[in-house]
Amino acid sequence: MFLTIYSDIKTFYKDTYEILMRQEAQNVIPLGNVILGNEGKDKTDWRDPANWFMAAVSNNKEILLTAIMTPPHNLTLYATDNINDELALKCLLEGIIKNNINIPGVMAEKSLAEMFAQAYSKTYGVTYKINTNQRIYELLKVNTEIANIGSTRLANQKDLSFLPYWMKGFDNDCFGDTLDTGTDINKYIYRMSGNNLYILEDQDIPVTMTKISRQLQTVCVIGMVYTPPYFRGKGYATACVAAVSQFALDRGFKKCVLYTDLANPTSNNIYMRIGYKPICDSTEIKFSKTNKQIH
């Protein structure tokens, strides 16, 4: 069992891409990152691979465990074919500690995330708590019985009159961020760039947004689903996600993928009505430095 820590994204991409593609829908986050880094076109904020931690644990045959972290974001792990190997995990931990890599948190398939958190906290002397229990869904076909409400269109510059408030509302709902939009409009322009942010209008009034992101080989991610509180309960999110999912399938993607918070049964029910089916559970765990060890 041996650990490789990479400094070159292209080598990491070459070694891990096909491994991650074995579970493309499950691995949309690490795959999206290695593709973005390999292309090297966008180094905004956290996207510069020079600042990433990239590693793989192998035996004599193949990679058993893949790890990538794009600071300040969490470490993302994938056990090849979802087979957790304790020796591989131990090898990764030894390398993390030896190289003094700071890990703010971990996100992975539920059992792997919990296994890593327990071992890391015991070895490194930190506490941990589950931040979010998530479920990953995939969709092959949109339910044709979903009501078609209003019309869905691409966002444009005119929408910047309200989009910063919607984006901060989304961040507040999902991550607990402040609702203060600040004064830098460029970060909101960046988030709506790429012709992949959609607005649902009802009687010419914008009511919901949804985004297509992380466009991979056969899969894309549906995210940033947000309806302002005063428009909720009217079926807008369901109609918008259904429409945008169909747009993605019509563009040639075989599957749409999305993440949900298991603490929000409403959104989980909405997505299943549209046609999304669960493929696995993913857990995000946060670490806190302390002298106390968890056993």
Side-chain angles (χ1 to χ4, degrees):
M1 200 75 63
F2 59 92
L3 172 70
T4 303
I5 296 179
Y6 297 80
S7 58
D8 176 41
I9 179 60
K10 293 192 177 297
T11 305
F12 184 68
Y13 174 93
K14 178 178 177 294
D15 288 352
T16 63
Y17 180 77
E18 293 301 328
I19 295 288
L20 294 170
M21 279 293 293
R22 293 186 185 183
Q23 303 287 339
E24 185 182 10
Q26 177 184 332
N27 287 322
V28 288
I29 291 178
L31 273 169
N33 289 341
V34 298
I35 291 170
L36 182 148
N38 185 61
E39 290 176 345
K41 297 176 182 178
D42 185 357
K43 297 184 179 181
T44 308
D45 298 329
W46 54 267
R47 297 170 182 84
D48 187 350
N51 301 318
W52 296 359
F53 172 72
M54 302 170 285
V57 180
S58 309
N59 58 16
N60 291 328
K61 295 181 179 180
E62 68 172 356
I63 290 174
L64 302 179
L65 182 64
T66 303
I68 180 171
M69 183 171 68
T70 59
H73 302 300
N74 295 328
L75 179 71
T76 304
L77 301 176
Y78 171 63
T80 302
D81 298 328
N82 287 316
I83 300 173
N84 297 335
D85 188 302
E86 292 186 4
L87 291 178
L89 192 63
K90 181 181 178 182
C91 184
L92 174 64
L93 281 167
E94 289 173 350
I96 287 172
I97 294 169
K98 179 180 179 181
N99 290 277
N100 196 29
I101 306 297
N102 180 45
I103 308 293
V106 62
M107 185 167 69
E109 182 276 325
K110 181 179 175 62
S111 63
L112 177 60
E114 292 175 347
M115 183 185 297
F116 178 88
Q118 291 168 6
Y120 181 73
S121 63
K122 181 178 180 180
T123 304
Y124 208 59
V126 298
T127 59
Y128 69 91
K129 67 175 183 178
I130 294 176
N131 191 50
T132 311
N133 281 311
Q134 302 170 311
R135 182 155 290 161
I136 306 176
Y137 290 83
E138 69 177 19
L139 173 141
L140 302 177
K141 183 179 180 181
V142 175
N143 179 7
T144 56
E145 296 180 0
I146 296 296
N148 183 18
I149 303 174
S151 60
T152 304
R153 61 166 177 80
L154 280 169
N156 57 58
Q157 291 283 328
K158 293 180 180 179
D159 298 321
L160 287 172
S161 60
F162 63 87
L163 275 179
Y165 301 96
W166 285 21
M167 290 178 180
K168 290 304 294 184
F170 171 81
D171 291 343
N172 177 262
D173 287 354
C174 293
F175 313 117
D177 289 4
T178 173
L179 287 170
D180 182 12
T181 61
T183 59
D184 182 9
I185 194 66
N186 291 320
K187 61 184 178 182
Y188 302 107
I189 293 174
Y190 177 85
R191 291 178 75 176
M192 66 174 285
S193 65
N195 291 325
N196 56 5
L197 180 63
Y198 291 83
I199 304 293
L200 174 68
E201 292 184 333
D202 187 14
Q203 299 181 14
D204 297 324
I205 298 174
V207 293
T208 295
M209 71 175 179
T210 302
K211 186 175 184 179
I212 298 177
S213 62
R214 292 186 181 268
Q215 300 176 40
L216 308 182
Q217 185 170 317
T218 68
V219 168
C220 70
V221 179
I222 305 297
M224 205 185 290
V225 182
Y226 181 75
T227 304
Y230 42 84
F231 287 137
R232 293 175 185 174
K234 302 179 185 296
Y236 291 141
T238 303
C240 190
V241 171
V244 174
S245 299
Q246 188 61 58
F247 291 162
L249 295 176
D250 291 344
R251 286 168 54 183
F253 290 105
K254 294 182 179 179
K255 297 178 183 178
C256 298
V257 173
L258 54 77
Y259 280 72
T260 66
D261 185 343
L262 286 175
N264 187 342
T266 299
S267 64
N268 284 269
N269 290 333
I270 285 173
Y271 299 136
M272 286 190 287
R273 287 204 305 272
I274 294 170
Y276 281 88
K277 300 183 184 303
I279 56 172
C280 78
D281 286 354
S282 173
T283 299
E284 179 191 21
I285 297 175
K286 289 290 188 180
F287 299 117
S288 299
K289 290 184 178 180
T290 178
N291 290 327
K292 181 182 178 181
Q293 291 190 354
I294 303 297
H295 296 280

